[in-house]
Amino acid sequence: MKRLPSIKQLQYVLALHEHQHFGRAADACYIGQSTLSAAIANLEETMQAQLLERDHKTFIFTALGEDVVRQARHIIEQCEELTEFAKCQGKPMTGPFRLGCIPTIAPFVLSEVMTLCRERYPDLQLLLREDTSENSLHGLAEGRLDMVLLALPYETGAFHTEVLAQDAFKLVLHQDWLDRGFNKDISQWPDESIFLLEREHCLTNHAVKACELEDSRKVNPFFATSLHTLTQMVNNKLGVTFMPQMAINSGVLDGTGLIAQAPGNAAAYRDIGVAWRPTSTKARSYRLMADLITEVLQQKCR
């Protein structure tokens, strides 16, 4: 029988790659450092390949080692899914489901998503993580998430993506500013009069493209950290902004002097979609979850 790497050896090499330190990786695996070192050496012997370049007290992963880490991550992910599949007897929407979501969507839809999941799929354990698109997709690639709910377009690589709904952008301004000329073409607006979120939020890039804000002089260089902060800045008459319909429908403007109206570009919107790994064995669960999220979005985005 052909000699093959063990699952434990692959877990050890992933831990070493994550911690980049033999001592910390050994602690994470609850083994001694010498045991970890011997396991990595045995793995290299089994593969007949050098995974690490070692110096006296340091090491780096070789180019081949980096490739092996990527393959090992995929194998461990498949093994974990196989175990979950067996535990759930092959039934979809049972067991843990790890859903990532970006901050400009999460507060407005996840509560309803969780409610529907409890009603329809009582055997599903829905675990939520709110983070940026970049971090969420990184978690998806490493198998720490099953699905990501995000705004599109966004570079998602080899992941399977589907658009579930369109979320219109609305011009938000103080009711006292209706006569300030913001009904005119954006080119005639005052410089630095538009406030947006920090650039790490993809909502800003989508708003810039959808609302035709290419003239950077119109955008204030001071960026807000959240939609609620953005609301307070505009409510204090510092400028205007563009917000997604789902946030407005969820009451983010309640208790303020702000109003929302259609921007000059009637086609200003962002796509809301999901991404998942096409190699996963949970395709049936992903399809059912996408359908459930679509139901919620149809209510939130209209």
Side-chain angles (χ1 to χ4, degrees):
M1 183 177 293
K2 189 173 183 179
R3 186 181 177 190
L4 297 173
S6 70
I7 297 299
K8 192 170 290 294
Q9 286 176 323
L10 297 183
Q11 290 175 318
Y12 289 165
V13 78
L14 289 181
L16 184 60
H17 188 267
E18 177 183 354
H19 294 281
Q20 293 293 315
H21 186 275
F22 270 95
R24 290 192 293 271
D27 289 342
C29 296
Y30 302 101
I31 59 174
Q33 186 171 328
S34 59
T35 302
L36 176 64
S37 181
I40 299 298
N42 288 337
L43 179 61
E44 289 180 308
E45 181 182 345
T46 298
M47 292 184 165
Q48 299 182 354
Q50 183 181 11
L51 305 182
L52 304 179
E53 290 183 13
R54 299 168 175 83
D55 199 353
H56 178 55
K57 290 185 177 181
T58 62
F59 70 89
I60 61 171
F61 277 80
T62 64
L64 176 61
E66 293 286 350
D67 289 338
V68 168
V69 165
R70 282 189 287 272
Q71 291 292 329
R73 186 174 290 122
H74 176 67
I75 292 169
I76 296 300
E77 169 198 321
Q78 292 288 316
C79 288
E80 290 174 347
E81 289 188 358
L82 178 62
T83 302
E84 291 179 11
F85 181 83
K87 284 182 179 179
C88 301
Q89 299 179 353
K91 298 177 182 178
M93 298 297 272
T94 55
F97 190 108
R98 299 156 298 181
L99 176 63
C101 187
I102 63 175
T104 55
I105 296 178
F108 313 119
V109 303
L110 290 188
S111 177
E112 286 81 355
V113 168
M114 291 198 75
T115 298
L116 282 181
C117 282
R118 284 196 301 269
E119 293 174 355
R120 298 181 186 178
Y121 308 108
D123 295 328
L124 182 74
Q125 182 187 13
L126 182 59
L127 305 172
L128 305 176
R129 180 172 181 82
E130 181 179 327
D131 209 333
T132 62
S133 298
E134 180 180 1
N135 291 340
S136 295
L137 291 173
H138 184 66
L140 186 63
E142 293 192 338
R144 292 182 281 108
L145 294 174
D146 294 305
M147 175 184 282
V148 174
L149 177 59
L150 74 170
L152 301 170
Y154 193 91
E155 178 54 50
T156 57
F159 296 132
H160 174 82
T161 59
E162 288 189 18
V163 174
L164 306 182
Q166 290 183 341
D167 189 20
F169 282 107
K170 293 298 176 67
L171 170 64
V172 174
L173 70 166
H174 200 278
Q175 58 189 3
D176 295 343
W177 280 26
L178 291 176
D179 60 352
R180 292 286 188 98
F182 289 100
N183 58 335
K184 300 177 181 178
D185 187 82
I186 290 180
S187 63
Q188 300 181 50
W189 292 10
D191 289 348
E192 300 186 358
S193 60
I194 302 172
F195 283 88
L196 298 171
L197 289 176
E198 289 180 333
R199 292 288 179 178
E200 67 178 18
H201 294 281
C202 59
L203 177 66
T204 293
N205 290 331
H206 291 141
V208 167
K209 293 178 181 178
C211 301
E212 300 177 353
L213 307 180
E214 285 79 8
D215 188 348
S216 60
R217 295 172 301 173
K218 307 302 178 185
V219 178
N220 196 291
F222 187 87
F223 294 95
T225 56
S226 70
L227 283 175
H228 292 286
T229 303
L230 190 61
T231 299
Q232 294 305 314
M233 291 167 63
V234 178
N235 194 43
N236 278 280
K237 304 179 183 180
L238 298 179
V240 302
T241 191
F242 292 90
M243 284 193 181
Q245 187 68 56
M246 70 164 60
I248 297 169
N249 288 347
S250 296
V252 71
L253 305 184
D254 291 354
T256 71
L258 303 179
I259 61 171
Q261 58 187 36
N265 181 5
Y269 65 87
R270 61 176 181 167
D271 288 324
I272 307 298
V274 289
W276 67 73
R277 297 180 302 277
T279 55
S280 175
T281 59
K282 292 184 176 181
R284 291 171 62 197
S285 292
Y286 297 160
R287 169 54 50 209
L288 291 170
M289 181 62 73
D291 292 342
L292 185 147
I293 293 174
T294 300
E295 286 186 47
V296 175
L297 291 174
Q298 286 175 345
Q299 297 296 321
K300 292 292 185 178
C301 296
R302 64 182 184 184

